[in-house]
Amino acid sequence: MMTNLSAYNNSWFKSKIGASTLKQLVWYFTNVLFFMNPLNPVSGLKVALLKLFGAKIGKGVIIKPGVNIKYPWKLNIGSHCWIGENVWIDNLEWVTIGSHVCISQGAMLLTGNHNYKKSTFDLMIAPIILDDGVWIGAKTVVCPGVTAGEHAVLTVGAVATKNMDAYGIYQGNPAVWMKKRLIG
């Protein structure tokens, strides 16, 4: 059996998007102009736009330039979170971010993947949950279906393919538990 991308069919996903084609199109241009654009440092405007498109966002959220968000209507962010430069939130499914969460520059939150075991390379989606106090390090990847427990840390360049325990520090590809996070 070989991969057959001509047989790929994700028509089932259209009903899961949760927005009209017009809303998706308007969001696409809003995302390019105000979020991905490195010349827009105004975090308050970005928060207001995300709320306008259906995101649930707490107070004190900072969103740096160069951020790419797929579907804001599938995004919940608690209070006092930092979203760093060039973060990509590819939320084909829900992404829930608790309060006091730091997502460092270049991190990727990926809620979708493909089934490499099927010749049709089917799309698979699963939500991501980052509990309160989580730190997602620079240039990391959080894979579909991952939950990071309270105050867990994913260190620079690591890839989280499985859930991370509360207060655990995770490193590597795939990320493994290294030690307990102590907060003084």
Side-chain angles (χ1 to χ4, degrees):
M1 185 67 69
M2 295 175 27
T3 301
N4 180 6
L5 295 180
S6 67
Y8 178 77
N9 180 354
N10 73 340
S11 59
W12 63 270
F13 180 71
K14 288 181 181 34
S15 66
K16 305 248 332 146
I17 292 173
S20 68
T21 302
L22 178 60
K23 184 175 182 177
Q24 292 176 62
L25 185 63
V26 172
W27 171 250
Y28 175 82
F29 288 106
T30 301
N31 192 32
V32 169
L33 290 172
F34 295 101
F35 288 81
M36 296 169 68
N37 182 349
L39 301 176
N40 178 20
V42 184
S43 186
L45 174 61
K46 293 177 211 173
V47 168
L49 287 168
L50 285 172
K51 287 180 178 179
L52 182 67
F53 279 90
K56 308 259 188 296
I57 302 180
K59 59 184 177 182
V61 172
I62 304 296
I63 302 172
K64 295 290 192 168
V67 172
N68 185 4
I69 298 171
K70 181 74 86 180
Y71 298 137
W73 47 89
K74 291 187 170 203
L75 181 62
N76 290 327
I77 302 175
S79 296
H80 306 290
C81 292
W82 299 345
I83 312 288
E85 290 91 349
N86 301 313
V87 166
W88 184 6
I89 301 176
D90 192 30
N91 56 332
L92 301 172
E93 184 56 88
W94 282 95
V95 169
T96 302
I97 300 169
S99 294
H100 304 281
V101 171
C102 177
I103 303 174
S104 296
Q105 55 274 41
M108 297 176 71
L109 307 182
L110 306 175
T111 60
N113 202 348
H114 294 277
N115 188 344
Y116 64 87
K117 295 178 183 177
K118 293 196 153 216
S119 65
T120 52
F121 210 52
D122 295 353
L123 177 64
M124 304 180 304
I125 59 173
I128 290 174
I129 300 169
L130 306 178
D131 287 339
D132 293 347
V134 167
W135 180 12
I136 301 299
K139 300 288 185 179
T140 57
V141 177
V142 179
C143 293
V146 168
T147 295
E150 290 183 351
H151 304 284
V153 175
L154 185 62
T155 64
V156 173
V159 178
T161 59
K162 296 187 187 304
N163 292 345
M164 298 185 296
D165 293 335
Y167 292 91
I169 298 176
Y170 290 80
Q171 179 178 356
N173 181 7
V176 294
W177 187 91
M178 298 303 289
K179 62 183 176 179
K180 185 172 178 137
R181 180 181 184 185
L182 303 174
I183 301 175

